[in-house]
Amino acid sequence: MEKKDITIGLFGFGCVGQGLYDVLNHSQGLRANIERICVKDKNKPRSIAAGFFTYDKEDILTHKDLNVIVELIDNADEAFAIVKQAMNNGVSVVTANKKMLAENFRELYDLQIKNSVALIYEGSAGGSIPIIRNLEEYYDNELLSSVRGILNGTCNYILTRMELENKDYSDVLKDAQVNGFAESDPWLDVAGFDTKFKTLLLTIHAFGIVLNPEDIFNTGIQNITYDDILYAKQRGLRIKMLAVSYKVGDKFRVYAIPHFVDKSSELFNVNYEYNAVEVEGAYSCKQTFVGKGAGSHPTGSAVLSDISALTYDYKYGYKKLKKQIGISGKIEEGKSLIEYDFPIKLYIRYQDREQLNELEIISVEEEYKSSGTNYIIATVNFKSLFNIYDKRGNKLFICAI
Ligand SMILES: NC(=O)c1ccc[n+]([C@@H]2O[C@H](COP(=O)([O-])OP(=O)(O)OC[C@H]3O[C@@H](n4cnc5c(N)ncnc54)[C@H](OP(=O)(O)O)[C@@H]3O)[C@@H](O)[C@H]2O)c1
């Protein structure tokens, strides 16, 4: 197939935008160039010629010579408006914006069909790890049973440093912010929302099930203390923030929760900003993909791979999703395929026992109280976790066993 030339209109020239610019300039044989770049702040110094830049999105969206839009901005709502307009203009889009994709997936799917354009987003989950296209193409006929992994570099970086340097959460978080491994408002990362958005995307490509972000329970490391790390260490375990999506019978369980992992797990030694995804299939058995989950060049390289795919008119086939859609032609309510009523064994550290009242505790295996820390090991009805969902004031640290 003859490859076509790609002329790119780029939105965003921050961490990933600049990374893409570098990797594209060093790539060989790819007939793609960045023509214009839209950014926001007129006073920011830029590392490349001023002639590239515009501050008006219409300069790019109405530009007649651009055949691909690459969206790499840090605002999901503004990104959605840009991507929607580009697709309605008949232009294919590459993005790495998992929040925008997760919050608007149904509409974005319909826009791809309506306008016969591609929307591809390898950089949105797992950074440099080529997981989405693999789930979509390589495992297109494989009966997958489980996809789980470490998908948030900020959480993994903080957890690794807490354990290896015997430090408390707030010290490591401050340091991570100074060194660019955490945002100034880290809530979406540390509270598990970012992992949840990626879990949602992997569930679409692994199983063909579309969920809304609020259908997936998430909690993160926002309340972790060094005591929790010590608890794990003393038992030869590590705490990892995991995305989980797996099949049980004809239903699926999907959530984003910290887990204890032991040495036998491939995830045990995935540290700092590295990510990993474990895919389990009926015939392929377990396979693990490991790589840098974030950062300028790793994410830029995933975006570059998407641009390269567009030179041969690649689109996600959504084969598994189309099977679920069936004859109705509409994306069904994915939530009906998800199981919520099941027991899950958890380590729960609390300050005040009253905080546990909102959970449906089935049995308590162990309870520890001291002046410094209190925890229980308990089996809880999973669906009751939604009672404590997204409350910034809640001080529980929850870790699956
Ligand atoms: N950083 C990573 O490692 C990573 C990994 C995977 C995915 N992602 C995703 O990639 C995207 C970009 O992340 P980033 O880390 O590169 O962000 P960033 O460093 O904060 O850069 C954001 C860029 O977007 C520009 N911008 C913001 N609002 C805009 C608007 N309305 N119109 C035009 N430009 C606008 C900013 O302009 P100014 O330069 O003028 O401020 C800046 O250049 C996000 O969706 C993020 O979730 C990031």
Side-chain angles (χ1 to χ4, degrees):
M1 183 191 289
E2 173 140 15
K3 290 191 174 186
K4 68 180 190 197
D5 290 351
I6 299 283
T7 310
I8 299 165
L10 173 62
F11 282 88
F13 199 65
C15 176
V16 185
Q18 294 189 51
L20 169 67
Y21 183 87
D22 288 347
V23 294
L24 181 58
N25 277 344
H26 288 97
S27 78
Q28 287 172 351
L30 179 63
R31 284 158 42 184
N33 75 292
I34 295 173
E35 182 75 20
R36 294 284 274 159
I37 305 171
C38 180
V39 284
K40 200 168 187 177
D41 184 349
K42 290 185 177 159
N43 300 317
K44 228 185 224 180
R46 305 288 169 186
S47 54
I48 59 169
F52 273 110
F53 294 98
T54 174
Y55 304 92
D56 179 0
K57 65 178 179 170
E58 297 303 327
D59 280 350
I60 289 187
L61 291 170
T62 59
H63 198 304
K64 291 277 171 279
D65 302 329
L66 305 176
N67 53 3
V68 168
I69 296 297
V70 177
E71 180 286 303
L72 297 172
I73 73 171
D74 55 344
N75 178 311
D77 295 334
E78 287 166 17
F80 182 48
I82 289 165
V83 168
K84 215 159 50 166
Q85 194 176 334
M87 291 171 82
N88 278 327
N89 288 346
V91 179
S92 290
V93 175
V94 175
T95 178
N97 200 324
K98 53 266 169 171
K99 184 169 191 281
M100 186 254 323
L101 291 161
E103 286 175 343
N104 304 287
F105 183 80
R106 285 157 205 269
E107 199 172 339
L108 290 167
Y109 176 80
D110 289 344
L111 283 168
Q112 292 173 68
I113 308 288
K114 182 181 121 202
N115 297 303
S116 301
V117 291
L119 172 68
I120 51 179
Y121 39 83
E122 191 62 69
S124 63
S128 67
I129 300 174
I131 188 63
I132 294 180
R133 234 179 299 153
N134 266 316
L135 289 175
E136 193 59 38
E137 305 300 335
Y138 184 83
Y139 298 103
D140 64 339
N141 289 307
E142 169 86 28
L143 297 172
L144 293 181
S145 54
S146 163
V147 177
R148 53 178 233 145
I150 298 168
L151 291 173
N152 185 274
T154 304
C155 287
N156 210 35
Y157 178 86
I158 292 172
L159 290 168
T160 304
R161 287 201 49 196
M162 283 180 76
E163 187 200 327
L164 299 183
E165 297 170 27
N166 305 329
K167 280 191 171 159
D168 218 336
Y169 172 72
S170 52
D171 297 333
V172 179
L173 174 62
K174 254 182 248 149
D175 221 34
Q177 286 168 321
V178 171
N179 293 317
F181 286 102
E183 304 281 341
S184 49
D185 178 3
W187 179 250
L188 288 183
D189 286 322
V190 298
F193 288 89
D194 178 82
T195 301
K196 181 241 284 282
F197 298 142
K198 293 164 176 171
T199 316
L200 186 153
L201 295 174
L202 295 190
T203 301
I204 293 171
H205 291 279
F207 303 118
I209 297 171
V210 180
L211 296 167
N212 299 314
E214 59 275 16
D215 299 335
I216 302 175
F217 176 76
N218 63 286
T219 185
I221 61 165
Q222 69 275 25
N223 297 327
I224 197 168
T225 67
Y226 185 69
D227 287 335
D228 306 315
I229 298 280
L230 200 58
Y231 174 93
K233 239 183 182 181
Q234 286 166 345
R235 289 157 181 80
L237 305 168
R238 278 189 174 145
I239 297 173
K240 296 289 177 191
M241 177 68 211
L242 296 192
V244 175
S245 185
Y246 64 103
K247 199 168 182 199
V248 181
D250 54 3
K251 293 272 184 180
F252 294 83
R253 296 178 182 175
V254 184
Y255 45 89
I257 303 183
H259 282 62
F260 291 117
V261 298
D262 64 26
K263 282 195 177 85
S264 69
S265 166
E266 302 248 23
L267 303 178
F268 187 84
N269 286 318
V270 177
N271 290 323
Y272 295 104
E273 73 274 33
Y274 278 84
N275 278 194
V277 186
E278 276 181 1
V279 178
E280 224 171 317
Y283 307 112
S284 57
C285 301
K286 195 186 277 181
Q287 292 173 315
T288 308
F289 299 72
V290 182
K292 286 209 169 169
S296 184
H297 288 156
T299 314
S301 85
V303 175
L304 184 78
S305 170
D306 278 348
I307 294 168
S308 172
L310 290 179
T311 64
Y312 52 88
D313 284 326
Y314 178 78
K315 284 185 186 136
Y316 295 135
Y318 292 110
K319 281 176 224 142
K320 293 167 211 163
L321 175 56
K322 281 179 180 156
K323 245 184 241 162
Q324 298 281 7
I325 289 174
I327 44 171
S328 75
K330 287 215 164 78
I331 295 178
E332 299 296 339
E333 200 44 62
K335 204 176 166 186
S336 63
L337 294 167
I338 305 301
E339 184 176 35
Y340 291 103
D341 206 347
F342 64 90
I344 183 168
K345 194 169 164 185
L346 301 171
Y347 161 98
I348 308 172
R349 195 187 27 72
Y350 60 92
Q351 284 179 346
D352 174 354
R353 213 177 186 296
E354 268 193 16
Q355 294 166 332
L356 303 179
N357 289 349
E358 290 180 90
L359 297 176
E360 193 186 316
I361 296 174
I362 300 166
S363 61
V364 177
E365 204 169 282
E366 192 186 328
E367 180 148 14
Y368 177 84
K369 280 187 197 166
S370 75
S371 55
T373 192
N374 312 307
Y375 68 79
I376 55 169
I377 307 289
T379 300
V380 170
N381 187 336
F382 176 80
K383 77 173 178 213
S384 71
L385 288 174
F386 282 92
N387 297 340
I388 54 146
Y389 173 69
D390 193 16
K391 291 188 180 161
R392 284 202 192 215
N394 134 42
K395 290 279 172 264
L396 301 177
F397 173 67
I398 291 176
C399 192
I401 296 177

